[in-house]
Amino acid sequence: MSQAPMPDFSSSVKLKYVKLGYQYLVNHFLSLLLIPIMAIIAVELLRMGPEEILNVWNSLHFDIVQVLCSSFLVIFISTVYFMSKPRTVYLVDYSCYKPPVTCRVPFATFMEHSRLILKDSPKSVEFQMRILERSGLGEETCLPPAIHYIPPTPTMDEARSEAQMVIFTAMDDLFKKTGLLPKDIDILIVNCSLFSPTPSLSAMVINKYKLRSNIKSFNLSGMGCSAGLISVDLARDLLQVHPNSNAVIVSTEIITPNYYKGNERAMLLPNCLFRMGSAAILMSNRRSDRWRAKYKLCHLVRTHRGADDKSYYCVYEQEDREGKIGINLSKDLMAIAGEALKANITTIGPLVLPASEQLLFLLSLIGRKIFNLKWKPYIPDFKLAFEHFCIHAGGRAVIDELQKNLQLSGEHVEASRMTLHRFGNTSSSSLWYELCYIESKGRMRRGDRVWQIAFGSGFKCNSAVWKCNRTIKTPKDGPWSDCIDRYPVFIPEVVKL
């Protein structure tokens, strides 16, 4: 007789619920342990009569000196604890620059300009076309006015004009949203990687809005697309030592002086991906802002791989053989980004992951070390730690790689893909366009946790974790106000031009 086949375990048992049960058991272990202990104490108290309980109470003798000393000790320890506890830092609100329609660069326009500018290099034009077809960008991304000229006019005046346009518009909108007055700004941080004029961009903002003479101002340059989170880190540190203060961060990238007109393929890539954008963010440590602030900063982790030569040179501004300046993107960029991400999540994981995931990761690590090095390492489920993900919209390959490595769904990376499609790579400000997308979709609820991940030259990987203070209503204005109903859109692998 033939033996009956064994039942399929995976189909007969709901493994999903087994996993959920395991997570609940590990994450609530202490609570589950306390329940029987409390039950035993309650039963013992019920067994004792009122007289026995009273006798136990009377047997406890309290000396007035002991009571006073104990009270003083409790008050002293509480005071030291609350004074040494870091100040809570809030993100009150932010605004994102929305480029005018006149700056729009459809694919046809971009390619026509490329053919005219690079008329002696048809292979470079064809290369740019192939990159654009697979870039994930849409037809509504924008470039500054100076790049629309043929040939482009990357002068200092045009670059300053772009900076004034994107920064002042974002600042004006922030003032309108928050009711903040220029005189109320205690700390100003401006980050722009590739354009660093004299006087600085932070000085330009101070001059425009006539900010106080004792303002603490900083101008960060050369730090790449992750400079926005570096600015947040700097603001957090300053708010720890300056009580009752407001900090305004401006994150942008000025495109005008950085349009590459040569033939090096690695240096033509940024032309296809980078677009204009800016964001202004208000952070505060004031207790009065707790109720109106959108988010609370929970963690910020920075990883710098600059000691490694490959990492240092993978995003490098240089001159080509003809003396034309551009940004050289290495073919090893994705591998280097993966290593930086691995180092970053190793640090941030213990801070945010539930105990169940940390235990599985530890067991996997021990198993690989002791038993079998060929075991696949366990990838923690970060979806248990965060409701929303804002992955820097540096390019389609960046988003694809992080979605694969972190095992995220299409919805988790939707904000990043749609931001890349609608606005392109806006460098350090892209994370704020993505956060605005989530809000515009009405998905942000009180208690939700957001993970912002950014990569930058150097090579750096930076992470910030925010917790939503209140359910956020769908904004009626902002960069997504006129198009959010059309999103998400389907983005094909290749758009034939």
Side-chain angles (χ1 to χ4, degrees):
M1 292 179 64
S2 61
Q3 189 177 1
M6 291 292 289
D8 185 359
F9 181 78
S10 61
S11 62
S12 61
V13 178
K14 299 290 185 180
L15 292 179
K16 171 186 172 184
Y17 298 107
V18 173
K19 185 178 180 182
L20 288 173
Y22 159 77
Q23 290 166 358
Y24 186 86
L25 180 65
V26 174
N27 295 336
H28 300 86
F29 179 74
L30 290 177
S31 301
L32 295 172
L33 188 65
L34 284 172
I35 290 173
I37 294 173
M38 295 299 293
I40 291 169
I41 293 171
V43 169
E44 288 298 321
L45 287 173
L46 289 172
R47 283 181 180 179
M48 296 171 65
E51 292 182 1
E52 290 179 83
I53 296 173
L54 187 61
N55 289 334
V56 173
W57 177 259
N58 290 331
S59 67
L60 300 173
H61 299 287
F62 294 102
D63 185 81
I64 187 65
V65 177
Q66 292 176 339
V67 172
L68 288 174
C69 289
S70 300
S71 301
F72 174 77
L73 184 63
V74 170
I75 293 169
F76 175 76
I77 293 173
S78 301
T79 303
V80 170
Y81 171 75
F82 284 110
M83 287 184 68
S84 60
K85 188 180 179 182
R87 289 189 175 91
T88 304
V89 175
Y90 300 102
L91 193 163
V92 179
D93 211 336
Y94 63 96
S95 63
C96 297
Y97 171 73
K98 183 179 179 181
V101 179
T102 51
C103 292
R104 192 168 70 92
V105 186
F107 293 157
T109 303
F110 183 90
M111 291 312 305
E112 182 184 3
H113 283 214
S114 294
R115 291 186 186 98
L116 292 171
I117 295 166
L118 301 171
K119 56 186 177 182
D120 297 327
S121 305
K123 288 186 177 180
S124 295
V125 175
E126 184 182 345
F127 171 75
Q128 283 191 304
M129 184 174 71
R130 290 201 307 271
I131 294 298
L132 199 62
E133 287 176 338
R134 294 162 176 79
S135 65
L137 272 67
E139 298 272 6
E140 297 180 90
T141 61
C142 295
L143 285 171
I147 308 301
H148 288 257
Y149 296 125
I150 302 177
T153 56
T155 63
M156 178 63 77
D157 282 345
E158 290 288 351
R160 285 188 186 275
S161 295
E162 182 193 348
Q164 291 168 359
M165 177 168 59
V166 299
I167 293 175
F168 294 164
T169 305
M171 287 286 289
D172 290 342
D173 188 43
L174 184 68
F175 288 138
K176 182 181 175 182
K177 275 185 174 182
T178 60
L180 182 72
L181 299 175
K183 65 181 180 64
D184 294 330
I185 300 176
D186 304 294
I187 300 164
L188 174 68
I189 304 169
V190 179
N191 68 264
C192 179
S193 189
L194 295 171
F195 180 57
S196 184
T198 301
S200 66
L201 294 176
S202 59
M204 182 185 77
V205 174
I206 292 170
N207 176 260
K208 164 69 175 178
Y209 295 102
K210 311 304 177 190
L211 304 185
R212 300 198 319 256
S213 60
N214 64 342
I215 190 170
K216 297 164 185 64
S217 67
F218 302 85
N219 198 94
L220 307 182
S221 64
M223 306 196 81
C225 300
S226 67
L229 295 187
I230 295 173
S231 297
V232 171
D233 188 31
L234 176 58
R236 179 189 63 173
D237 291 346
L238 291 167
L239 289 171
Q240 292 302 316
V241 295
H242 297 288
N244 203 36
S245 298
N246 287 316
V248 170
I249 297 170
V250 179
S251 289
T252 190
E253 192 60 78
I254 305 306
I255 307 296
T256 295
N258 302 299
Y259 186 86
Y260 177 64
K261 294 181 284 185
N263 295 307
E264 292 290 334
R265 292 189 173 187
M267 300 169 78
L268 283 168
L269 275 169
N271 288 358
C272 302
L273 298 175
F274 282 90
R275 297 293 185 265
M276 65 191 301
S278 178
I281 303 101
L282 173 60
M283 295 177 65
S284 171
N285 60 11
R286 296 182 178 185
R287 290 185 179 179
S288 57
D289 286 329
R290 174 184 177 184
W291 308 108
R292 70 172 185 142
K294 284 186 172 181
Y295 303 94
K296 178 178 74 174
L297 181 61
C298 298
H299 305 286
L300 202 147
V301 174
R302 293 170 56 183
T303 303
H304 205 304
R305 304 272 298 175
D308 175 68
D309 287 346
K310 275 191 174 182
S311 299
Y312 177 73
Y313 288 106
C314 74
V315 181
Y316 200 78
E317 185 175 18
Q318 63 183 64
E319 295 175 333
D320 65 8
R321 287 169 292 184
E322 298 175 355
K324 295 174 181 176
I325 298 175
I327 306 297
N328 191 322
L329 300 181
S330 167
K331 61 182 180 180
D332 299 322
L333 178 60
M334 291 312 303
I336 291 166
E339 288 298 316
L341 175 67
K342 182 180 176 182
N344 191 271
I345 64 176
T346 301
T347 305
I348 202 171
L351 301 175
V352 298
L353 286 169
S356 58
E357 289 301 298
Q358 294 194 46
L359 181 60
L360 287 174
F361 179 76
L362 179 63
L363 292 175
S364 169
L365 188 65
I366 294 171
R368 293 184 71 221
K369 291 286 185 183
I370 298 176
F371 300 109
N372 190 350
L373 289 173
K374 294 183 179 179
W375 279 9
K376 288 184 66 177
Y378 178 73
I379 300 174
D381 188 357
F382 281 93
K383 298 186 289 295
L384 297 174
F386 306 105
E387 284 73 34
H388 308 287
F389 296 81
C390 294
I391 299 166
H392 168 53
R396 188 176 207 152
V398 174
I399 301 170
D400 288 345
E401 192 68 18
L402 263 73
Q403 181 180 3
K404 176 185 174 183
N405 288 340
L406 297 176
Q407 298 178 346
L408 303 178
S409 67
E411 187 175 345
H412 287 124
V413 297
E414 182 183 311
S416 302
R417 291 195 190 281
M418 297 308 114
T419 296
L420 182 65
H421 181 271
R422 173 62 183 84
F423 296 101
N425 180 354
T426 61
S427 190
S428 58
S429 63
S430 68
L431 297 175
W432 305 105
Y433 287 90
E434 294 167 23
L435 190 60
C436 188
Y437 177 89
I438 297 168
E439 292 180 3
S440 298
K441 279 293 181 182
R443 296 172 182 171
M444 193 64 72
R445 299 285 183 267
R446 181 180 180 181
D448 283 2
R449 296 153 299 178
V450 187
W451 187 14
Q452 291 182 320
I453 313 171
F455 298 94
S457 57
F459 190 84
K460 299 179 284 291
C461 176
N462 300 327
S463 292
V465 178
W466 304 89
K467 187 173 183 180
C468 185
N469 271 353
R470 54 185 170 84
T471 298
I472 297 173
K473 297 179 181 177
T474 303
K476 296 181 180 178
D477 52 6
W480 295 97
S481 58
D482 63 342
C483 63
I484 192 63
D485 294 337
R486 292 191 275 117
Y487 283 90
V489 297
F490 172 71
I491 304 175
E493 289 293 325
V494 179
V495 179
K496 281 298 178 183
L497 301 182

